Structure formats: C-alpha cells, structure tokens
Amino acid sequence: MSNHKNNRWDIFCKIVDNYGDIGVCWRLSQQLAHEHHLQVRLFIDDFATASKIISALDSPSTQTSQIVNGVEICAWPTGLIESEIDPADVVIETFGCTLPDEYIQQIQPYDIIWINLEYLSAEAWVSDFHAKPSQHPTLAITKYFFFPGFFDDTGGLIREENLRVARDAFLNSKALQKEFWQKLGLADPVPRNEIDTAKNSVKISLFCYPQADINSLFLALMKSHQPVILFLPFNGKIADLNEVLTDFKLTIGDVLHKGNLTVHLLPFLSQADYDRLLWACDLNFVRGEDSWIRAIWAGKPFIWQPYLQAEDVHINKLDAFLKAYASNASADVQSLLHASHLVWSGNSLKNSQPADEAGTQDEYAESNVWQSLINHLPTLQTYTNKQANALAMQPDLATKLVIFSENLRKNKV
Ligand code: TRH
C-alpha cells in the first residue's frame, strides 16, 4: 500500500478550437487549487487563445511557467525544453489531448494516477464507460476514463462550491445588478423611449455556433409580442456574423433596434461576468460544453446548441440530453423544449420529435417556436430551477475526481 498523497496535480489542455477546452480546464484547475487545496500545474499548448479566458495570463510569454490565481500555468512541453519535468501525483489528460512524450518518459508507473477526462454527454453509454481502466500499450500503467455526466454513476458536473450562493446574492441585489450593467456600459439596458414597456421586456443572451439560424431567430424576435433585449457577447469578425444576418446589420458599439428587438453587441466577457449575464437574462442560448453547464446552474431557461459533429452525432447528444433533462416536465413543455432545440440545431422537427407528438409539432412550427418559448418562460423558469436544484444535490466533478483519485491511491501497491 502506498503512503503517497495526491497533493500535486498536472492538467494537460490542448486547445482544439473555441474556448470550451480551456474554459473547463481553467475552472477545474482553480477549483482543485482553491477548494481542495492542491498544488496544480496547468499545461497549455496555445497561450494566445487561453488568454481570452485567463485574462491575467502573460501571452506571448517568455517564461515557461507563471502563477495565475494560485495555479501554475506552464507551456506545453516541447523537445526544446531542457529541464526534465517531474510528473505530479495525479495527471489529468483532458479531452483525449495525449500527454507529451517528454512527460510520459518521466512517469514512474507505481507513483502516478493517470486519468483521462472526457467530454460531457448525457448518452446512456457514459455510465458504462465512466471510471473504467485501460492498460497503456507500452508502460506498466493503467489509465482511467472519467466521464462528466448528469447521472449518479458518472463523474458529475463542474460546479464551484459558492456558485449558487453567488447567483442568489446577485439575483436578490438590485445594486449588484446595476453595477454589472454599468460595467458593461449599459447603465440602463432598456432604451428610454421603451421604458414603459420595460417591465414586460424579455432579456436574452446569445452565444452560438454560426450554423444556427440567427437571422430567423432575429426576425421572429422582431415580431415578438413583448419587447426583447438581446445581448450578444462576441469575439469574432463582425463580417462573419453579418454574413449570416441577411436581414440585419450589426456594427461594433452600436445598438440595433428593429421592431420589438433591441440587440446589444458586447465584448467577450470574463467567465465571471458571463455567469452574471446568464443569471440576469430570462432566456440563454448556449453552446458546446462549458456555457451549457453554466446555463444549467443559472437556473434560467436555456437553449443548448451542441458542437456540430459528423453524421449527426451531435443530434444524438441533444436527444439524450433532452430525454434526461426534460423527462419530469409536462408533455407540453417537453414538446416545446424538443421543438425549439431541434430548430436551433438545424434539424427538421418531423425527423426527431417523438412520434406520438405529431399534433404538437404543428403548434410549434418553426415560424412560431420562439414566440411559444417566450410565452412559456414562466413555466420553463420554474422547471429549469427545479432541475438545477436536483442536479446540485450530486457531488460536483472536482470533488468526484478527488475522491476517485484517493480511492485509486489507496488501492495502489
Ligand atoms: O467555445 P465552445 O464552443 O467550446 C467547445 C466545446 O467545449 C466543445 O465541446 C468542444 O468540442 C469544442 O469547444 C472544441 O463553447 P463552450 O464549451 O461553452 O466554451 C465557451 C467558454 O467561453 C466557456 O468557458 C464560457 C466562456 N465565455 C466567456 O468567458 N465569456 C463570454 O462572453 C462567452 C460568450 C463565453
């Protein structure tokens, strides 16, 4: 039996595209350091992209390592780094990134716990694969697969200890909300001439992939029965966004008014401010992995757009999530959630709706699905909050990882 403790953790993150990989890795690193008091090194291969999420990161950097918020951030080892890396007690290979050879060469098989952290999915097979061992092809070492998930027999969802308390404090404080809007340069996000109707206005945040039909969404919101104020944090080329917005023209810094729709183009926010935006809105469009989980913890109605994958794999993921997430809702709410999610992910309603809900499909035809969603926001709000409370009863991903690695250590001889 080893006396060794799991104090030192190494997390390896390769940034494939977008911000999900680094978003999750940065959150997890901070949580392990602050809440579990562990010594964490985060190895990153792309400092320029990472600095969009880790704003204090020195990039481009001449240093091979720097401390940010209690986490040591290191450059991905390349053959050029002369000094040897001393592997930690626990190493997390995230999202199939493959550990660098320089690191693997230093591993002592009997000393290290090696965990592959996988992508989040609500598909049923995840429970069968979670925590399963896999023998390394050449080293005498076993790796373990760790799958985040929605069920008790998975690795759980990433959630900071104080997250929901912070959310409630924000939602209960007009002063904190005002401070937030002021920080965004939106002292009053509802324009003066619309102040009479402001009470009924619906606030929406939008973060999506370019495949989503944003133009049709905007057209529908323009004609909405209630004023809609839409916040769009953006970090790309405005020309690319305008290419999909055939009926609208967005310019940086301007506020667009069309019909009942007002659009505020925001800069890309810090992760903390993005959370506040999700809390402050009545409906959030989110995508990928990390913003999806944040929307769940916000407890506000949301539409999730999965990362596009070949052969409609993403639609299977969407179906699995909706099956798990919406199962306790009324038949009406279930149909509405299916219809709106499938429209947003570009899939025909007829293909994916449960067969016995043909009647409801017509009711939620593409043209009015967004108005139906707005009409049902109070019901959806109650349901979403209930689901967030239920999921928060489960231990969070970082805690499950720590317990899992402690158990593996106890069994190591
Ligand atoms: O950026 P994404 O599309 O990342 C994706 C997914 O992780 C996907 O599963 C993966 O395969 C692919 O990357 C490679 O979406 P995601 O996961 O929501 O990550 C966005 C991060 O950006 C998240 O941490 C929230 C953060 N964010 C901000 O900090 N400020 C903002 O203004 C916005 C809109 C997001």
Side-chain angles (χ1 to χ4, degrees):
M1 191 84 79
S2 167
N3 291 323
H4 215 85
K5 290 242 168 57
N6 289 335
N7 285 335
R8 296 178 310 126
W9 287 52
D10 282 343
I11 299 181
F12 281 84
C13 174
K14 250 190 196 154
I15 299 175
V16 180
D17 62 359
N18 304 324
Y19 305 107
D21 308 294
I22 186 63
V24 170
C25 290
W26 178 230
R27 251 183 231 300
L28 179 63
S29 302
Q30 292 176 100
Q31 222 189 329
L32 291 171
H34 302 161
E35 294 176 23
H36 297 274
H37 313 291
L38 300 165
Q39 211 178 307
V40 183
R41 285 190 299 196
L42 172 60
F43 290 84
I44 302 174
D45 70 333
D46 173 358
F47 271 45
T49 306
S51 65
K52 305 281 182 207
I53 293 287
I54 312 170
S55 57
L57 191 68
D58 178 17
S59 164
S61 173
T62 45
Q63 324 159 51
T64 48
S65 133
Q66 53 189 295
I67 306 279
V68 181
N69 201 20
V71 174
E72 184 179 355
I73 300 186
C74 307
W76 190 272
T78 64
L80 302 173
I81 297 172
E82 279 164 23
S83 57
E84 287 177 357
I85 310 160
D86 181 19
D89 306 316
V90 181
V91 61
I92 310 283
E93 177 179 345
T94 63
F95 312 125
C97 70
T98 310
L99 296 186
D101 286 343
E102 292 83 346
Y103 190 88
I104 295 178
Q105 280 156 17
Q106 306 299 324
I107 284 179
Q108 302 297 322
Y110 293 101
D111 271 356
I112 200 159
I113 308 281
W114 184 343
I115 297 172
N116 271 32
L117 177 66
E118 299 293 331
Y119 285 112
L120 171 65
S121 170
E123 289 162 295
W125 59 262
V126 165
S127 297
D128 298 330
F129 283 81
H130 172 61
K132 289 290 181 293
S134 155
Q135 193 62 40
H136 189 279
T138 51
L139 298 174
I141 187 163
T142 308
K143 308 203 274 180
Y144 290 85
F145 290 100
F146 198 93
F147 282 87
F150 294 86
F151 307 111
D152 287 333
D153 54 2
T154 66
L157 299 172
I158 202 160
R159 186 187 77 243
E160 295 85 355
E161 201 175 18
N162 67 351
L163 178 65
R164 304 183 80 238
V165 173
R167 180 202 66 176
D168 292 344
F170 178 85
L171 290 176
N172 290 326
S173 164
K174 289 258 175 312
L176 286 178
Q177 290 170 34
K178 191 170 163 204
E179 192 185 304
F180 170 64
W181 293 122
Q182 271 172 349
K183 190 172 167 193
L184 299 188
L186 300 168
D188 178 2
V190 184
R192 285 281 145 214
N193 57 357
E194 290 177 21
I195 210 84
D196 290 341
T197 48
K199 281 198 287 298
N200 300 320
S201 68
V202 175
K203 293 206 258 337
I204 298 180
S205 79
L206 179 62
F207 180 45
C208 65
Y209 295 115
Q211 295 82 11
D213 192 350
I214 316 175
N215 197 66
S216 296
L217 172 72
F218 278 20
L219 284 173
L221 296 178
M222 236 179 86
K223 296 184 210 135
S224 159
H225 303 162
Q226 285 160 275
V228 172
I229 307 165
L230 187 139
F231 304 95
L232 176 56
F234 190 66
N235 194 34
K237 276 198 277 164
I238 194 75
D240 292 348
L241 181 64
N242 278 328
E243 205 160 290
V244 292
L245 283 171
T246 43
D247 296 277
F248 302 84
K249 178 118 194 80
L250 293 184
T251 41
I252 290 168
D254 271 7
V255 180
L256 176 123
H257 295 281
K258 258 201 170 188
N260 245 350
L261 173 67
T262 304
V263 180
H264 292 274
L265 197 66
L266 302 180
F268 198 73
L269 305 173
S270 68
Q271 280 187 321
D273 277 340
Y274 182 58
D275 268 340
R276 292 184 188 104
L277 183 68
L278 297 175
W279 301 340
C281 285
D282 306 297
L283 173 64
N284 296 305
F285 285 80
V286 290
R287 73 184 203 190
E289 175 151 340
D290 195 49
S291 57
W292 175 28
I293 309 171
R294 304 318 277 184
I296 291 173
W297 299 135
K300 294 296 186 77
F302 63 90
I303 298 291
W304 171 54
Q305 184 187 15
Y307 187 75
L308 195 77
Q309 284 176 283
E311 293 169 10
D312 276 354
V313 169
H314 60 293
I315 297 295
N316 296 340
K317 290 191 172 164
L318 183 57
D319 279 339
F321 170 63
L322 291 173
K323 198 167 151 219
Y325 189 77
S327 58
N328 297 323
S330 67
D332 246 21
V333 167
Q334 285 194 35
S335 307
L336 179 56
L337 286 175
H338 274 93
S340 46
H341 275 88
L342 290 167
V343 165
W344 194 236
S345 276
N347 222 40
S348 142
L349 295 182
K350 303 243 165 17
N351 289 344
S352 305
Q353 277 286 90
D356 57 350
E357 285 165 11
T360 337
Q361 284 174 21
D362 292 340
E363 189 190 332
Y364 299 132
E366 277 189 39
S367 57
N368 71 7
V369 73
W370 302 125
Q371 184 61 54
S372 303
L373 200 72
I374 288 174
N375 295 346
H376 283 77
L377 280 178
T379 317
L380 286 169
Q381 162 69 64
T382 309
Y383 184 73
T384 317
N385 211 26
K386 214 167 95 188
Q387 291 301 91
N389 290 342
L391 286 168
M393 301 293 285
Q394 297 175 6
D396 68 276
L397 180 122
T399 303
K400 282 195 163 191
L401 263 175
V402 169
I403 294 171
F404 182 67
S405 62
E406 276 167 5
N407 288 338
L408 289 177
R409 175 69 64 196
K410 276 186 212 141
N411 295 331
K412 248 187 189 292
V413 283

